[in-house]
Amino acid sequence: GAVVSQHPSWVICKSGTSVKIECRSLDFQATTMFWYRQFPKQSLMLMATSNEGSKATYEQGVEKDKFLINHASLTLSTLTVTSAHPEDSSFYICSASSGGEVNEQFFGPGTRLTVL
Amino acid sequence: GQNIDQPTEMTATEGAIVQINCTYQTSGFNGLFWYQQHAGEAPTFLSYNVLDGLEEKGRFSSFLSRSKGYSYLLLKELQMKDSASYLCAVSDSNYQLIWGAGTKLIIKP
């Protein structure tokens, strides 16, 4: 149980285009979903936290108008990178939590974005 | 501020035992997680400690001392597939995970 999927697993796009990444919890309802970014040889960096039906909470330094997050249901959250540039190239990982005492985060497989 | 410290890199021999330490200073504490992350892949859950003591799970064990702000992950009978980064993360008073930078573990034959 506790499977989280991400789509696409990798994407290459031209500079200036927008890219949408989907994160789905397949076998549980995720009260909270998290979006992370990880550059090569660096640790995970939390970008934003989203709760179903409410606006996402962005970390300091993350542009909310550039990284649009929608958490429309308890099993789906989307991250849209608008007007992507080469410096946005990174590994984007989502995780989902169903709450509870442990509040463990279950991670999706990640999406590797390359902006040309 | 909030801070998680763990060694950047460790090397160990196949079949041996290795201990990866993690110290933390956070605003509140609601548990400590260890995750394993292979290169190019997302993290996978290894263990969770919220009370002091040792939690054993097969070849992996995790220890916590809340008074010392200290945890370690112990890996026994090391296998080549254990080569990965090991991430320590603490759940703070807001249940937000504060991540360490990760320890890259290199296993040599």
Side-chain angles (χ1 to χ4, degrees), chain A residues 6 34 36 38 41-44 46 49 59 91 93 100-110 112, chain B residues 30 33 35 37 39-46 48 50 87 91 94-97 99-102 104:
Chain A
Q6 263 183 259
F34 305 85
Y36 292 87
Q38 187 174 35
K41 297 184 180 181
Q42 294 187 23
S43 186
L44 294 171
L46 179 66
T49 302
E59 296 299 301
F91 191 44
I93 310 172
E101 188 176 323
V102 176
N103 204 29
E104 176 187 345
Q105 291 184 28
F106 300 95
F107 285 85
R112 188 160 300 283
Chain B
N30 280 303
F33 296 82
Y35 283 84
Q37 186 178 24
E41 299 180 10
T44 56
F45 171 80
L46 287 179
Y48 171 75
V50 68
L87 307 175
S91 179
N94 294 318
Y95 293 94
Q96 178 165 316
L97 281 186
W99 292 87
K104 183 179 179 181

Side-chain angles (χ1 to χ4, degrees), chain B residues 31-106:
Chain B
L32 185 144
F33 296 82
W34 283 97
Y35 283 84
Q36 179 190 60
Q37 186 178 24
H38 285 100
E41 299 180 10
T44 56
F45 171 80
L46 287 179
S47 68
Y48 171 75
N49 294 68
V50 68
L51 299 176
D52 290 351
L54 187 68
E55 294 277 345
E56 297 186 77
K57 191 185 293 185
R59 294 189 298 115
F60 293 2
S61 303
S62 57
F63 171 83
L64 174 68
S65 169
R66 289 171 296 172
S67 62
K68 295 182 179 178
Y70 167 70
S71 171
Y72 67 73
L73 180 68
L74 190 72
L75 293 77
K76 302 176 184 177
E77 300 169 18
L78 287 170
Q79 302 174 9
M80 297 304 293
K81 67 178 183 180
D82 297 330
S83 292
S85 286
Y86 291 85
L87 307 175
C88 172
V90 173
S91 179
D92 69 7
S93 57
N94 294 318
Y95 293 94
Q96 178 165 316
L97 281 186
I98 311 300
W99 292 87
T103 299
K104 183 179 179 181
L105 178 63
I106 300 168

Side-chain angles (χ1 to χ4, degrees), chain A residues 7-108:
Chain A
H7 177 82
S9 54
W10 59 270
V11 57
I12 301 173
C13 68
K14 292 182 179 180
S15 184
T17 61
S18 294
V19 175
K20 180 186 281 189
I21 303 170
E22 288 188 352
C23 177
R24 293 181 185 271
S25 57
L26 298 184
D27 52 3
F28 68 102
Q29 293 187 325
T31 53
T32 308
M33 286 187 168
F34 305 85
W35 286 97
Y36 292 87
R37 181 167 52 181
Q38 187 174 35
F39 293 105
K41 297 184 180 181
Q42 294 187 23
S43 186
L44 294 171
M45 292 175 55
L46 179 66
M47 299 176 67
T49 302
S50 73
N51 294 291
E52 183 262 341
S54 61
K55 289 184 178 179
T57 302
Y58 289 81
E59 296 299 301
Q60 194 172 7
V62 178
E63 300 173 60
K64 61 181 180 182
D65 295 330
K66 180 171 179 66
F67 298 100
L68 302 179
I69 291 172
N70 183 281
H71 193 162
S73 75
L74 284 172
T75 59
L76 173 64
S77 177
T78 60
L79 167 69
T80 301
V81 183
T82 62
S83 186
H85 291 284
E87 57 266 29
D88 298 323
S89 298
S90 188
F91 191 44
Y92 291 86
I93 310 172
C94 76
S95 70
S97 171
S98 60
E101 188 176 323
V102 176
N103 204 29
E104 176 187 345
Q105 291 184 28
F106 300 95
F107 285 85

